[in-house]
Amino acid sequence: MISISSYVIVAAVLFGIGTLGVLISRNIIILFMSLELMLNAASLAIIAFSRELNVIDGHVFVFLILAVAAAEAAVGLAMVITLFRNKETLNIDRFNLMKW
Amino acid sequence: MNLDAVIFIISAIVAVLGASMMIFQRNPVMAVLSFMVSLLAQAVLYIQLDALFLGAVLIIVYAGAVLVLFLFVIMLLNLRTTKELGPSSSLMRHLGKYFLSFLLIMEFVFIIKSSFFKGASLVGVMNMKPEGFGTVTSVATLLFTKYLYPFELTSILILVAIVGAVVMARKDKNIDRPTENKLGKN
Amino acid sequence: MSEYLFLVPLFPLIGFLINGLLLGRLPRSMIAFIACVSVGLSFILSLFLFFGLKAMPPEIRIVEQVLFNWIIAGSFHANIGFMLDPLSAVMIMVVSGVGFLIHIYSIGYMRGDTGYGRYFAYLNLFMFSMLILVLADNFLFMFVGWEGVGLCSYLLIGFWFEKKSASDAGKKAFITNRVGDFGFLLGMFIIFWQVGSLNFTEVMASAPQVFVSGGVLITVTCLLLFFGATGKSAQIPLYVWLPDAMEGPTPVSALIHAATMVTAGVYMIVRTNVLFIMAPDALMVVAIIGVVTAFYAATIGLAQNDIKRVLAYSTISQLGYMFLACGVAAFSAGIFHLMTHAFFKALLFMCAGSVIHAMSGQQDMRYMGGLKKYLPITFLSMLMATFAISGIPGFSGFFSKDEILWKSFSSPFGNYILWAVGFITAGLTAFYMFRLIYLTFYGKERMDEKTKAHIHESPKSMTVPLIILAILSVIGGWVGLPHLFGFTNNFEHWLEPVMRKTNQIIAARRINEAVGETGIEWGLMIATVALVLISIYFAYLIYNKRTELATSLREKFSSVHKLLLNKYYIDEFYGAIVIRPLIYFSLFLWKVIDVAVIDGFINGMASSYDDVSGTLRTMQTGRVRTYATIFLAGVVIIIAYMVFY
């Protein structure tokens, strides 16, 4: 059998990749998906811990996380549409009005 | 090397690769598809961890609904080409960011592998699961008894999200679009 | 009875609130009605309280009502509390009674004024403050009233604030009063420091044990309190504001600057008579300042041409008499003169107001004359008041002034020099008052034709208060008929509970000296009356019979006349030694200390912050990814710290 820590390490790596995606991508949509990836990585870790401790509550949390992620996707994409309408671009660096 | 291990290694590699491809893609459609691959592999990992219900939900809701929504938006905005994003930045400019992310992963690995979680007996093989762990019945029982209120509140959250999305994405007829040009001329 | 005490100041407060809050929304008749009724109710209540107090045995004639604790801090506490004793009973009757008449008088006098509601609101606020002042049961609450009347005085002097001179006069009064208030406050501090309480009853009870009689501390305290009194009651050196205060409406001059507020200092000293009697040196100072002020102001009054200014200096002079009485420990005589003075001086001002009203605003007596036949009621009232202030036997002023003069001679704290100055001042008083009468009501009609055509007797609302006050000016003194005529002095007897300790001390001193012979008293009285009559004759001679004498005298003594006309150049003197240096010092503080040093320091600091933050703000690029990177770096460092450290 595979140890739980293997799963958690996979979750950690996915989380790191998501972080990197947030840092380097210029496209808002990809940046946004990176955020979703980070959420998924956290979910994976929770499920692994839940299995280890044999407590099913973790699954409920993950279910709720999925609901939140779905809601976030809906709102976030609406924002993306609005932003695109205003600036005709999705380059995140163009949205820098809130500076000094 | 049993079958479980093989499945785990393959799906883990696919998940990580899919995620990596997603963030390095310049074409958004391709990024979404990569993400979908990664999600499918993650769903396999879920099922391996006896989260049968959630694995199904991940595929149906995430891969099926949310990512399709992303695709819709990309098509709506007609984002095939990527030239509006300007020239791609060099690897050297992002070196610090790569390094930081790498450091973060290393820290996580160190925590997991070190004695940090000794009390939780994380190291070692999976123990025996109880009867019906992770099935729809067990999750639903908990969801509709112990976590009834959070579950109901989620519905409100989704309602708010729907309303918010509609309000924000709606075209405002009163305000003329691109303010930049007009301001520039005046 | 005690539970009704707070109603006395409350009624004018309600009147003030109604008139003040509904400013300009009430019809004129309503404004006047509210203002007069609120004060009238206070007066009626004061009468009831007086008779209630009179029904009690003399020993326990003190009623206190504490509404609530106002300030409690450590061992210090001050109440919103009222105290009614024979002294404050007299005061509230005089204040609310005279105040009521002047309110009624104002209805007619202020008829055409645009600030009608404002005027009556201020007037009611003044009544409220003044009643607080005389009814308060502790120094601090009294100080509230003290400041309140100062504020109202300021507001009412500057009532016609469009006039520069009026607003300047208001400021002058306020600032001069503040100087005196500072002394009062310091005196209050010492009392609290030594006694540990500000309640009148407690302070008066424990003062003899706490202070060393005749010691430095009590003398300083009393002098500080007296300094406060000089500000409010216009004595040397702080009298300069009162003549200028005549810029206000004449009823205000009558109420505030003649009858009530300016006597607050006298009231305060009498209220604290237990302290003053323990400080004979301070008493001496009070007496000297009082008598010098009386004489000095009377001489200025001789040469003034403005009818109200003559009365203003006369007020200062009469207040000087009251302080003389206090200074020779004849406190009840001081209050007696306060009361009679309130009647006749209010009357004099109101008559002057009536004259000014008839003369279409002309105040200069050189352009009056012969008004007797046009203003019969005003003339008669004013004559009564003039008799009273001059001290014609039988009129109120005679009894009170005579008592003061006799006490200044016979009291253990008095001496013949004080008496002599007071005696001469009595002659001067009669002279300048009859000069006023002759210039105004007799002789040639010196006004121009337009004014002359316009002369008319004042309306009923103005003449009726005149008549009432004229009656009071005549009979007001009969409550204190002296022993000499075979009466018991009721007034002194009435105030006896307040002065008990003082009287004991005086009685103890009296044993050593053998003054008190009726022969001397008769002699002095007759001398005073004779001097007064001679003065009146001279005034008649110079200003009525042979008017050319006035001109020749003026030319003969032109330097003296000029000195008097210019009020001894005291205003210029103060301007040179106090105001000018103060202005230069303030300029120095402004230009050098404030602008260069403080502003320079602050601005320098601000601009250095500006520079630093101007550099630092470029950190805020507005790029989300940069923020995220920095955020991640923070996360990595914190995790590293938690894991490895």
Side-chain angles (χ1 to χ4, degrees):
Chain A
M1 294 291 272
I2 309 110
S3 66
I4 290 294
S5 59
S6 313
Y7 291 95
V8 180
I9 286 172
V10 172
V13 171
L14 285 177
F15 188 85
I17 292 170
T19 316
L20 185 62
V22 171
L23 296 191
I24 63 169
S25 64
R26 282 176 302 158
N27 190 327
I28 294 181
I29 290 182
I30 295 178
L31 192 147
F32 201 52
M33 282 194 292
S34 301
L35 282 174
E36 300 280 348
L37 182 63
M38 288 164 81
L39 273 176
N40 278 322
S43 303
L44 183 59
I46 290 176
I47 284 178
F49 290 132
S50 181
R51 177 70 185 81
E52 166 70 16
L53 301 173
N54 279 332
V55 182
I56 205 139
D57 299 41
H59 288 200
V60 177
F61 289 158
V62 172
F63 182 78
L64 296 180
I65 289 173
L66 287 181
V68 169
E72 187 198 317
V75 177
L77 286 172
M79 282 166 73
V80 167
I81 290 171
T82 317
L83 288 173
F84 186 78
R85 255 195 223 137
N86 282 329
K87 288 253 185 179
E88 299 279 356
T89 181
L90 284 181
N91 186 350
I92 187 78
D93 287 343
R94 294 282 307 278
F95 301 101
N96 62 349
L97 283 177
M98 289 179 70
K99 63 183 175 187
W100 61 84
Chain B
M1 197 96 171
N2 53 21
L3 190 61
D4 265 343
V6 172
I7 295 173
F8 169 73
I9 290 168
I10 292 172
S11 42
I13 289 171
V14 170
V16 171
L17 272 181
S20 305
M21 278 173 71
M22 177 192 84
I23 64 167
F24 292 119
Q25 278 293 338
R26 303 213 61 199
N27 187 343
V29 179
M30 288 304 290
V32 172
L33 292 178
S34 310
F35 190 29
M36 204 176 278
V37 169
S38 174
L39 280 177
L40 288 174
Q42 282 179 50
V44 173
L45 292 179
Y46 277 30
I47 290 161
Q48 261 199 321
L49 286 165
D50 295 314
L52 304 174
F53 171 61
L54 285 177
V57 168
L58 192 71
I59 290 171
I60 296 166
V61 173
Y62 237 100
V66 174
L67 288 187
V68 169
L69 187 63
F70 273 89
L71 277 179
F72 269 134
V73 170
I74 289 163
M75 286 150 112
L76 181 72
L77 302 180
N78 196 15
L79 284 179
R80 287 278 197 74
T81 54
T82 55
K83 62 174 186 284
E84 65 263 38
L85 295 179
S88 65
S89 47
S90 65
L91 187 82
M92 289 304 289
R93 258 192 75 193
H94 289 310
L95 208 58
K97 293 172 179 177
Y98 288 109
F99 182 63
L100 270 178
S101 304
F102 180 71
L103 265 185
L104 186 71
I105 295 170
M106 282 303 110
E107 276 173 349
F108 283 149
V109 172
F110 180 82
I111 291 167
I112 294 158
K113 282 296 174 190
S114 73
S115 56
F116 206 69
F117 279 125
K118 224 171 208 171
S121 72
L122 195 80
V123 188
V125 290
M126 262 189 257
N127 47 21
M128 287 306 294
K129 61 166 181 173
E131 192 60 38
F133 184 84
T135 58
V136 179
T137 321
S138 58
V139 176
T141 310
L142 210 55
L143 204 54
F144 290 112
T145 53
K146 193 177 173 187
Y147 295 104
L148 182 62
Y149 289 120
F151 178 65
E152 295 293 342
L153 284 174
T154 312
S155 64
I156 296 174
L157 175 79
I158 289 171
L159 179 68
V160 171
I162 291 166
V163 173
V166 169
V167 168
M168 264 191 292
R170 192 183 53 186
K171 235 181 201 162
D172 205 336
K173 289 199 178 80
N174 296 329
I175 297 169
D176 279 336
R177 208 160 46 75
T179 49
E180 264 183 22
N181 297 342
K182 292 197 171 173
L183 282 175
K185 271 171 193 166
N186 294 340
Chain C
M1 183 167 106
S2 72
E3 59 267 30
Y4 302 121
L5 219 46
F6 76 101
L7 288 174
V8 178
L10 186 70
F11 286 129
L13 180 64
I14 292 171
F16 161 68
L17 289 177
I18 295 174
N19 275 341
L21 293 177
L22 299 175
L23 206 58
R25 292 203 192 99
L26 290 174
R28 291 190 162 224
S29 54
M30 196 68 188
I31 292 170
F33 178 76
I34 290 168
C36 294
V37 164
S38 62
V39 178
L41 284 173
S42 279
F43 177 57
I44 292 166
L45 192 63
S46 303
L47 285 180
F48 275 115
L49 289 171
F50 169 75
F51 285 113
L53 202 66
K54 202 160 182 281
M56 293 160 77
E59 293 75 32
I60 58 157
R61 272 180 193 163
I62 183 160
V63 179
E64 293 191 60
Q65 181 190 20
V66 175
L67 283 186
F68 54 88
N69 281 319
W70 174 29
I71 299 173
I72 305 171
S75 63
F76 174 80
H77 67 96
N79 295 331
I80 298 291
F82 301 99
M83 179 173 78
L84 184 73
D85 66 351
L87 176 59
S88 47
V90 170
M91 289 302 290
I92 57 172
M93 278 198 302
V94 170
V95 169
S96 59
V98 175
F100 178 57
L101 291 175
I102 291 173
H103 271 72
I104 292 179
Y105 176 85
S106 299
I107 297 173
Y109 191 84
M110 300 300 287
R111 197 172 35 196
D113 202 278
T114 47
Y116 203 66
R118 189 162 57 94
Y119 174 82
F120 275 104
Y122 288 164
L123 220 54
N124 271 357
L125 183 63
F126 170 78
M127 292 306 294
F128 165 70
S129 308
M130 190 69 202
L131 289 168
I132 291 275
L133 197 164
V134 296
L135 275 176
D137 77 339
N138 61 62
F139 279 99
L140 203 62
F141 195 35
M142 179 183 181
F143 193 67
V144 172
W146 185 274
E147 290 299 315
V149 291
L151 168 71
C152 297
S153 164
Y154 161 75
L155 290 172
L156 285 164
I157 293 170
F159 182 73
W160 289 313
F161 53 81
E162 310 90 354
K163 248 184 5 187
K164 178 94 170 69
S165 59
S167 64
D168 281 351
K171 275 187 277 185
K172 188 174 181 180
F174 201 69
I175 292 167
T176 316
N177 265 307
R178 294 299 308 168
V179 177
D181 293 344
F182 185 59
F184 188 9
L185 272 176
L186 287 181
M188 218 151 73
F189 292 159
I190 296 181
I191 289 169
F192 178 71
W193 169 42
Q194 288 297 314
V195 182
S197 166
L198 285 178
N199 186 287
F200 286 133
T201 323
E202 288 168 22
V203 170
M204 299 313 148
S206 53
Q209 287 89 51
V210 175
F211 291 106
V212 181
S213 188
V216 176
L217 206 55
I218 183 77
T219 309
V220 170
T221 309
C222 290
L223 285 177
L224 286 171
L225 290 178
F226 174 61
F227 190 62
T230 58
K232 192 70 53 192
S233 294
Q235 296 296 293
I236 292 173
L238 297 179
Y239 73 93
V240 286
W241 64 271
L242 187 57
D244 288 6
M246 297 304 135
E247 291 288 347
T250 306
V252 170
S253 306
L255 177 62
I256 302 183
H257 306 117
T260 52
M261 186 191 86
V262 289
T263 60
V266 181
Y267 167 77
M268 190 254 277
I269 287 178
V270 176
R271 174 57 76 206
T272 56
N273 65 74
V274 177
L275 300 179
F276 274 87
I277 201 73
M278 286 167 63
D281 297 337
L283 276 182
M284 200 63 209
V285 173
V286 174
I288 291 169
I289 294 275
V291 78
V292 169
T293 310
F295 177 74
Y296 169 86
T299 54
I300 298 177
L302 293 177
Q304 296 299 312
N305 290 321
D306 185 319
I307 184 167
K308 280 180 76 179
R309 286 201 176 240
V310 174
L311 293 177
Y313 281 105
S314 157
T315 305
I316 299 174
S317 174
Q318 297 301 312
L319 288 166
Y321 269 119
M322 294 176 212
F323 280 103
L324 170 63
C326 293
V328 298
F331 297 108
S332 59
I335 290 294
F336 187 27
H337 196 56
L338 188 162
M339 186 182 82
T340 56
H341 175 256
F343 296 147
F344 61 66
K345 188 49 67 63
L347 176 57
L348 282 171
F349 268 111
M350 286 154 76
C351 291
S354 180
V355 168
I356 294 166
H357 194 69
M359 296 291 298
S360 317
Q362 178 61 263
Q363 301 196 3
D364 197 324
M365 291 190 294
R366 283 171 297 188
Y367 302 106
M368 295 182 188
L371 292 176
K372 190 173 122 184
K373 63 174 180 284
Y374 299 110
L375 309 171
I377 299 174
T378 307
F379 168 68
L380 271 177
S381 312
M382 193 142 190
L383 200 62
M384 292 302 122
T386 308
F387 281 146
I389 191 175
S390 306
I392 303 292
F395 290 86
S396 62
F398 167 75
F399 297 109
S400 54
K401 196 183 283 185
D402 187 65
E403 194 178 340
I404 290 174
L405 286 175
W406 169 239
K407 284 282 165 60
S408 70
F409 185 80
S410 69
S411 158
F413 297 95
N415 57 47
Y416 61 90
I417 300 173
L418 292 178
W419 174 82
V421 181
F423 170 75
I424 295 166
T425 307
L428 293 175
T429 308
F431 183 80
Y432 67 67
M433 283 315 298
F434 275 90
R435 169 175 175 265
L436 189 152
I437 289 283
Y438 285 126
L439 282 178
T440 310
F441 292 102
Y442 288 88
K444 276 202 296 243
E445 299 165 6
R446 296 182 293 275
M447 66 294 276
D448 55 43
E449 287 303 315
K450 199 177 154 202
T451 318
K452 192 173 172 182
H454 199 256
I455 294 175
H456 59 280
E457 180 61 287
S458 302
K460 276 261 163 45
S461 65
M462 288 167 74
T463 50
V464 170
L466 292 186
I467 295 164
I468 297 173
L469 273 180
I471 296 166
L472 280 174
S473 297
V474 177
I475 66 166
W478 297 354
V479 296
L481 296 173
H483 294 286
L484 195 62
F485 295 169
F487 299 100
T488 54
N489 190 330
N490 284 326
F491 196 79
E492 200 176 323
H493 190 65
W494 166 251
L495 286 179
E496 205 274 329
V498 187
M499 319 289 173
R500 196 168 294 131
K501 284 207 181 81
T502 307
N503 286 347
Q504 283 162 5
I505 292 174
I506 295 174
R509 281 208 172 199
R510 177 66 48 83
I511 296 164
N512 307 329
E513 300 167 37
V515 189
E517 293 163 34
T518 51
I520 298 174
E521 197 173 348
W522 276 112
L524 295 180
M525 186 186 288
I526 289 164
T528 313
V529 172
L531 179 70
V532 164
L533 292 175
I534 292 167
S535 303
I536 292 170
Y537 176 70
F538 270 113
Y540 167 70
L541 206 62
I542 296 171
Y543 292 104
N544 193 29
K545 193 120 184 284
R546 298 173 58 191
T547 41
E548 73 279 2
L549 253 179
T551 329
S552 65
L553 273 174
R554 196 178 309 143
E555 272 155 18
K556 209 168 179 184
F557 299 103
S558 66
S559 59
V560 177
H561 179 259
K562 212 171 160 202
L563 187 66
L564 292 181
L565 192 65
N566 288 304
K567 303 160 263 179
Y568 293 97
Y569 296 102
I570 282 291
D571 279 341
E572 288 78 1
F573 176 68
Y574 278 3
I577 70 153
V578 181
I579 298 168
R580 192 85 52 77
L582 212 59
I583 287 174
Y584 286 135
F585 185 58
S586 306
L587 272 178
F588 168 74
L589 286 181
W590 168 32
K591 299 268 192 198
V592 179
I593 302 287
D594 197 53
V595 173
V597 178
I598 296 177
D599 282 6
F601 179 66
I602 300 288
N603 288 342
M605 216 146 88
S607 64
S608 71
Y609 278 124
D610 190 32
D611 292 345
V612 171
S613 52
T615 314
L616 284 180
R617 71 175 188 173
T618 52
M619 268 170 45
Q620 297 212 307
T621 55
R623 294 168 188 223
V624 181
R625 293 192 299 165
T626 315
Y627 297 159
T629 310
I630 295 167
F631 175 56
L632 182 66
V635 169
V636 168
I637 290 166
I638 289 171
I639 293 177
Y641 176 81
M642 284 166 67
V643 173
F644 300 109
Y645 189 68

